[in-house]
Amino acid sequence: MISNDILYETALKQFDTVAEILNIEDGIRERMRNPKRSLIVSVPVRMDNGKTKVFKGYRVQHDITLGPSKGGIRYHPNVDLKEVSALAMLMTWKCALMHMPYGGAKGGVQCNPEEMSQDELERMTRRFTTEIVQIIGPDKDIPAPDLYTNAQTMAWMMDTYSMQQGNTIPGVVTGKPLLLGGSLGRAEGTGRGVAYMVMEAARVLYKNLRGLRVAIQGLGNVGSVAARLLNDQGCTIVAVSDISGGVYNPQGILLPYLLHHIKENKHVTGLMDTDAITNEELFELDCDVIVPAAIEGQITEKNADEIKAKIIVEGANGPTTPEADKILQDKKVFLVPDILANAGGVTVSYFEWVQDIQYYFWSEDDIQKKLKDVMIGAFNRILALSNKKGIDMRTAALMLGIGRVAEAKKMRGLYP
Ligand code: NAD
């Protein structure tokens, strides 16, 4: 795992490189390097054993030039100001790239949720929400689930915020349960977006999707939805993995068996008619498409040269190191970067917020069609810039996101 210091430095370096290419003026560059607002709070919680424990909570709003800020809340021992600041900055570029009226934010509480009871998690969520209540709201900053937070966490946040305002305000968070103003299609938005990006990349490279051999690392929420949709479109899923290891069948893995096996055994390993492989071996398989959908730092300078697939679609955040990126570019691998590939989640979150503030809810068909339009629109803009300038898709995506924020800042000017 990369350290939070390196994560933060990499985000800044990435920004500086693109700001230089775009020739962004110094004053605006300086403003974009620094978060708009960072709040650190103490979150005292009465634990089940009767003792009081104080957790550290964070909310960073990187930018609000284009609208309220938006980004997840994570519960993890690793959460600190550097991590949250880096991720908030990346959210700003992602929202701008997807043409959403948002800036980026991120937040979290430094804790070990696996050692906490549901009651403790609820008390911590309610107190954390109260500590940041001044800076969140449907017009200010809209949290969503992230690592170890889920629809229930969002329900507690929405309830706490609403109780303090005196009326029900569903639009303060997204990723809520459907009954409380959540959106149809939200749970599978990210995986569906990843599948659309594989289809688009295949269209560019092969003209046809049928029979393409796909390997997916991380068969969780994102990976399993992508696997199902790509299988439905005629792709052959040759390998999948999770934290327990991977399974491989060059003729194709039968998805109904796989899903049944996971239900019974929790993990993919041990599936009949497959060979066992490691997570490292998955990247070296003879296949056409790789979808890393697990964690960061999986494609590195150590294994990038061994990759045979011609398409990589980054479902996970930051699965490819900058060194590996260069190797893949030299090998002419078509890489759809995370900032675009996994933006289906924030896109359906945006749809949820729009539905909440209008009190008018759309059908699942509507949502899928709109998601497809937004994802393919962004893909085509990035591809056009990448072809025009002869640059990789990641740089093109960052140029579009960062360029839009810089332009908006210039138009608005500097107050006072
Ligand atoms: P998840 O917890 O549902 O699934 C993660 C999968 O990765 C699991 O199968 C797990 O076993 C596997 N895994 C974990 N550690 C691993 C390791 N060391 N090696 C191999 N496999 C490992 O998570 P998710 O929601 O599917 O998210 C996956 C990735 O997508 C993350 O990087 C996340 O940040 C990113 N992402 C998710 C969303 C979303 O809406 N869920 C949105 C944007 C980005």
Side-chain angles (χ1 to χ4, degrees):
M1 223 158 95
I2 54 174
S3 77
N4 290 340
D5 285 354
I6 294 181
L7 186 74
Y8 187 65
E9 292 309 318
T10 309
L12 281 181
K13 227 188 272 170
Q14 214 171 34
F15 168 72
D16 289 339
T17 307
V18 172
E20 198 59 37
I21 300 174
L22 292 172
N23 204 15
I24 297 174
E25 64 186 66
D26 285 350
I28 290 184
R29 212 181 278 203
E30 205 45 33
R31 289 166 65 196
M32 292 172 73
R33 280 183 116 248
N34 291 289
K36 164 88 184 156
R37 193 178 283 128
S38 309
L39 184 60
I40 304 180
V41 294
S42 291
V43 186
V45 179
R46 192 169 300 108
M47 307 302 279
D48 291 346
N49 63 9
K51 295 197 171 140
T52 300
K53 202 167 165 180
V54 179
F55 297 92
K56 256 195 170 151
Y58 304 86
R59 186 70 181 169
V60 171
Q61 299 167 348
H62 172 257
D63 188 81
I64 55 167
T65 310
L66 291 164
S69 47
K70 177 110 195 71
I73 299 275
R74 54 175 56 187
Y75 291 167
H76 197 270
N78 211 28
V79 169
D80 69 7
L81 188 61
K82 286 260 167 81
E83 181 187 54
V84 171
S85 304
L87 296 171
M89 178 184 264
L90 295 177
M91 275 303 288
T92 300
W93 315 149
K94 184 186 281 192
C95 292
L97 170 70
M98 303 309 288
H99 286 190
M100 279 168 200
Y102 289 142
K106 205 80 179 187
V109 180
Q110 196 180 73
C111 65
N112 189 347
E114 290 197 318
E115 288 174 355
M116 295 172 71
S117 69
Q118 276 294 96
D119 286 348
E120 288 170 341
L121 286 170
E122 176 172 354
R123 289 194 289 271
M124 186 177 80
T125 302
R126 290 188 181 280
R127 184 61 188 246
F128 174 59
T129 308
T130 304
E131 296 298 339
I132 63 168
V133 78
Q134 305 288 355
I135 64 166
I136 61 170
D139 302 321
K140 292 183 185 171
D141 179 18
I142 306 124
D146 195 77
L147 277 184
Y148 292 101
T149 53
N150 52 29
Q152 177 60 74
T153 321
M154 293 304 113
W156 291 328
M157 284 193 84
M158 185 278 251
D159 181 67
T160 305
Y161 181 83
S162 298
M163 291 308 288
Q164 299 191 11
Q165 303 298 316
N167 53 310
T168 297
I169 306 175
V172 64
V173 289
T174 59
K176 296 176 295 296
L178 206 51
L179 182 63
L180 300 181
S183 177
L184 289 166
R186 170 65 183 86
E188 64 168 38
T190 309
R192 185 169 280 280
V194 167
Y196 292 149
M197 294 301 92
V198 173
M199 293 175 205
E200 287 307 292
R203 186 178 54 76
V204 172
L205 242 62
Y206 298 110
K207 308 265 180 285
N208 195 355
L209 195 64
R210 287 202 85 76
L212 281 192
R213 296 160 305 160
V214 181
I216 300 179
Q217 188 204 29
L219 209 74
N221 174 8
V222 177
S224 58
V225 172
R228 177 170 53 78
L229 296 175
L230 290 171
N231 188 66
D232 290 350
Q233 291 294 316
C235 292
T236 307
I237 309 295
V238 291
V240 294
S241 73
D242 59 25
I243 195 149
S244 71
V247 291
Y248 173 58
N249 180 343
Q251 307 306 319
I253 292 170
L254 290 173
L255 270 244
Y257 286 168
L258 173 64
L259 298 178
H260 178 73
H261 177 84
I262 295 174
K263 217 173 181 183
E264 300 279 299
N265 303 283
K266 285 217 171 101
H267 292 298
V268 300
T269 38
L271 178 68
M272 65 175 182
D273 293 334
T274 60
D275 294 331
I277 54 166
T278 62
N279 267 291
E280 292 75 37
E281 285 164 343
L282 180 136
F283 287 104
E284 299 170 13
L285 292 175
D286 189 17
C287 64
D288 305 300
V289 181
I290 294 178
V291 177
I295 53 169
E296 65 280 357
Q298 295 300 292
I299 305 178
T300 66
E301 57 196 330
K302 292 202 182 89
N303 63 1
D305 227 1
E306 307 305 322
I307 287 178
K308 297 180 187 62
K310 283 286 168 223
I311 295 175
I312 295 178
V313 176
E314 295 182 331
N317 278 316
T320 312
T321 63
E323 297 77 28
D325 236 350
K326 289 205 180 71
I327 299 171
L328 297 175
Q329 281 165 34
D330 290 343
K331 284 164 61 99
K332 304 245 174 311
V333 172
F334 191 98
L335 186 144
V336 183
D338 48 5
I339 182 178
L340 167 68
N342 65 33
V346 74
T347 303
V348 182
S349 267
Y350 165 58
F351 296 160
E352 179 175 334
W353 175 75
V354 170
Q355 293 172 82
D356 285 342
I357 55 185
Q358 295 184 347
Y359 293 95
Y360 177 69
F361 290 86
W362 312 340
S363 72
E364 190 148 7
D365 273 359
D366 266 353
I367 284 159
Q368 286 178 11
K369 186 178 171 310
K370 287 186 168 77
L371 173 64
K372 194 170 186 179
D373 286 351
V374 171
M375 295 292 302
I376 293 178
F379 178 92
N380 286 334
R381 286 194 295 276
I382 297 169
L383 183 66
L385 185 65
S386 152
N387 287 339
K388 185 171 159 200
K389 302 267 182 201
I391 53 175
D392 60 291
M393 292 282 282
R394 194 187 308 280
T395 309
L398 286 166
M399 280 172 70
L400 288 172
I402 291 171
R404 220 169 136 82
V405 180
E407 205 183 322
K409 276 208 178 301
K410 195 169 181 178
M411 281 178 188
R412 284 185 60 162
L414 177 59
Y415 174 87

